[in-house]
Amino acid sequence: MGANIFDPANLTGAIITLAVLSFLIKDNPVFDLFQHGFVGLYFAYSIGLTYHSYIRPTIVDDIVKKGHYSYVIPVILGLLVYFMFVPSMNWIARYPMSFWVGYGAGYILAFQPGTLMPQIYNTFIRFYGKATFLDNLNAILLFIGVITALAYFFFTVRKQGTAVGLAAETGRWVIMIALGAAFGSTVLYRITLFVGRMQFLLGDWLGLLK
Amino acid sequence: MIERLQSIDRRIIYVLLILVIALALLKPIGLPVKVGPMTKSMYDAVDALPAGSVLWIGMDFNQSSKAEQYPMLSVILDHAFRKNVKVVSFAMWPNGGQIFDQLAAPVAKKYNKQDGVDYLNIGYKPGGSVALRAMVTDINTAAAGVDQNGKPLASTPLGQQVKKLSKDYVGFIVDIAAGDPGTTDYLNYVSTPEKIPMATAVVNVSVPGEMPYVQSGQYKGLMGGLRGAAEYEILARAPGKAASGMDSQSLGAALIVLFIIFGNVGYLASRGKK
């Protein structure tokens, strides 16, 4: 791979990457400059994206040009949210919110059980069938893990010296192991992001990688 | 003395990490990468698609997960085009459509595939899962009639062929996702109700959360992080940036584990003194 040190895109990317990484030494004005620049750029991009993705296609194209006047109703419903900034009339903002919550709940309830049921079923079904010793061991551990993790969240029953207490204590360990796995994955993800930046700096920018 | 291990200057750790990762990239040592069962089953599912069938790729990530997910998309496209499988992509994330265009071009050129004929980039359409669900009814309406670059879908052969995101038109779904909206939306609103088999390609941090769906058979496979992408590259015999980054990732992770051990040894030593 040849070096593209002065290619504008590569040079800009390299300067920004190094400026952001300079935070590893300590907080400094160069890092602050690019951090604020990023926030500003992202904010401006979000406004442009919202306008071009939602506002213009609905108001300009659909309502004004195509004459779909029924779309005015959701637009008005959306605008009612801004009544939350008027203290004496903020109750009006609850109407669009209640509509969205109702719509969202109905939408999710229509589809989610189909996805969740196999999860519940799978927790139990693997106890028998054509499986190796390790498969069965895995199934037993999964079953114990699910039941004990759920037991940990039984806050309304007496736990001290009871079977529920023992299950809850086991569940606490299961949850800690799960969180440990999640933390490990997060660390690995961050390393990968850094590897990606190094591939860019050493390869795309400096041309040192084959 | 040993207790000082728990207060090593973080800048020393950073410098060592930079050195280890840079050296592993410059002088790869070729640590072995064993292909895992989740990546293998995903590869097998894509490999089993007959020529001419349609693979739907969800583009639900952006540049922030470039290191892991650009190689994922490249290798899946390479595999699909080599098998003469047609590809339709749709993005619930704003930059997904642009990224697909950027990465599909070189792979399409390699296999002499044409935009609109062999692959179709519907691109980003706002609305998240609602837009996705609308694709099940009618892609043309849900996409406002145009692809990522404003070209009418009806003017392309593949746009005319694939009318709905349903089992009649789509053989398999691979969602490349870095968060929400993403894979669970495909599972809830498309794969489960429409009975279209699917697999997912997610960032490393999402792997523990998605694994139960592989074990239950709801996903036909999972490509997890850079490691998953490298495994797929090995299976597809298309080595790319994922395989070349594995040495760096493995050695970087080993270094961090080493410092975690140092920290714990230091902590135990200081506790023993008290």
Side-chain angles (χ1 to χ4, degrees):
Chain A
M1 189 185 291
N4 292 304
I5 297 173
F6 298 108
D7 174 78
N10 282 343
L11 192 61
T12 310
I15 290 170
I16 295 173
T17 302
L18 293 172
V20 171
L21 290 176
S22 70
F23 182 77
L24 296 177
I25 303 167
K26 66 174 189 176
D27 201 355
N28 62 76
V30 178
F31 171 77
D32 288 344
L33 175 73
F34 282 98
Q35 187 190 36
H36 290 115
F38 175 75
V39 172
L41 198 66
Y42 188 80
F43 188 63
Y45 178 77
S46 300
I47 291 173
L49 183 73
T50 306
Y51 175 76
H52 287 288
S53 301
Y54 294 93
I55 298 173
R56 196 190 66 180
T58 307
I59 296 175
V60 179
D61 296 344
D62 290 337
I63 298 175
V64 178
K65 289 183 182 171
K66 294 178 186 170
H68 294 162
Y69 297 114
S70 62
Y71 290 7
V72 172
I73 296 169
V75 170
I76 291 172
L77 204 60
L79 289 172
L80 291 181
V81 170
Y82 291 103
F83 272 101
M84 69 170 65
F85 297 116
V86 185
S88 61
M89 300 174 82
N90 60 6
W91 56 272
I92 295 175
R94 291 179 195 154
Y95 282 94
M97 297 301 269
S98 59
F99 178 80
W100 285 333
V101 169
Y103 175 82
Y107 187 68
I108 288 169
L109 283 172
F111 291 102
Q112 289 243 347
T115 307
L116 291 177
M117 288 312 287
Q119 287 292 304
I120 299 166
Y121 176 76
N122 190 59
T123 306
F124 300 96
I125 199 72
R126 295 288 174 87
F127 265 114
Y128 52 87
K130 291 172 190 170
T132 64
F133 169 73
L134 285 176
D135 288 339
N136 284 324
L137 184 66
N138 192 34
I140 291 165
L141 286 175
L142 181 69
F143 179 77
I144 292 170
V146 170
I147 298 299
T148 56
L150 286 172
Y152 177 78
F153 294 98
F154 291 165
F155 296 120
T156 52
V157 292
R158 191 170 154 267
K159 288 181 181 172
Q160 208 167 11
T162 64
V164 178
L166 181 68
E169 184 60 20
T170 312
R172 195 164 73 94
W173 280 93
V174 170
I175 292 166
M176 283 200 292
I177 291 166
L179 291 176
F183 176 72
S185 295
T186 307
V187 171
L188 210 56
Y189 177 52
R190 303 298 170 199
I191 293 175
T192 310
L193 294 185
F194 187 63
V195 170
R197 283 294 81 197
M198 291 297 280
Q199 280 177 328
F200 167 74
L201 290 174
L202 297 174
D204 299 341
W205 185 46
L206 297 176
L208 297 175
L209 302 182
K210 286 175 188 170
Chain B
M1 181 65 188
I2 297 176
E3 57 266 31
R4 286 181 66 189
L5 284 172
Q6 63 177 325
S7 54
I8 297 171
D9 190 334
R10 63 190 167 89
R11 284 168 294 194
I12 294 173
I13 301 173
Y14 293 146
V15 169
L16 286 173
L17 194 62
I18 290 169
L19 283 175
V20 163
I21 288 174
L23 285 172
L25 284 172
L26 292 166
K27 293 277 178 198
I29 52 176
L31 290 170
V33 178
K34 193 183 166 198
V35 177
M38 292 191 298
T39 313
K40 176 78 168 66
S41 54
M42 178 173 170
Y43 173 85
D44 290 342
V46 176
D47 203 57
L49 290 172
S53 59
V54 172
L55 171 68
W56 183 283
I57 296 182
M59 293 289 297
D60 302 321
F61 64 100
N62 60 21
Q63 287 85 352
S64 63
S65 57
K66 177 181 178 179
E68 290 191 336
Q69 299 196 295
Y70 277 34
M72 289 175 175
L73 175 63
S74 292
V75 74
I76 292 168
L77 285 173
D78 194 288
H79 189 197
F81 286 162
R82 182 158 44 83
K83 296 271 305 171
N84 289 318
V85 168
K86 294 184 187 295
V87 172
V88 176
S89 86
F90 163 63
M92 289 190 279
W93 285 40
N95 301 125
Q98 293 168 339
I99 296 171
F100 185 88
D101 269 349
Q102 184 189 341
L103 297 191
V107 189
K109 193 178 172 189
K110 179 179 169 186
Y111 291 100
N112 199 23
K113 301 293 180 188
Q114 283 185 305
D115 184 11
V117 179
D118 303 298
Y119 67 98
L120 178 68
N121 184 10
I122 296 170
Y124 168 67
K125 304 295 167 194
S129 65
V130 178
L132 177 67
R133 183 62 203 169
M135 296 276 166
V136 172
T137 313
D138 181 13
I139 291 173
N140 200 49
T141 308
V146 292
D147 73 0
Q148 165 70 17
N149 301 305
K151 192 162 63 174
L153 290 172
S155 70
T156 63
L158 201 50
Q160 289 169 7
Q161 181 191 329
V162 185
K163 291 182 169 51
K164 296 176 185 179
L165 176 48
S166 69
K167 206 176 177 183
D168 295 335
Y169 299 96
V170 175
F172 196 73
I173 296 169
V174 171
D175 187 42
I176 309 176
D180 186 49
T183 295
T184 40
D185 294 291
Y186 271 95
L187 190 63
N188 288 333
Y189 306 122
V190 181
S191 175
T192 307
E194 300 306 313
K195 296 181 174 56
I196 308 173
M198 75 170 287
T200 184
V202 291
V203 289
N204 227 323
V205 70
S206 305
V207 173
E210 300 295 345
M211 275 178 71
Y213 297 107
V214 184
Q215 288 166 341
S216 63
Q218 289 164 286
Y219 295 152
K220 301 301 168 201
L222 182 147
M223 197 195 302
L226 191 73
R227 163 89 193 213
E231 291 173 3
Y232 204 106
E233 284 179 359
I234 290 167
L235 288 166
R237 292 183 185 85
K241 278 200 167 175
S244 67
M246 275 311 292
D247 278 354
S248 296
Q249 194 205 47
S250 302
L251 293 173
L255 186 75
I256 285 179
V257 169
L258 196 68
F259 277 108
I260 289 172
I261 293 169
F262 284 172
N264 279 281
V265 168
Y267 167 71
L268 290 172
S270 68
R271 209 171 64 161
K273 270 195 171 180
K274 282 175 192 170

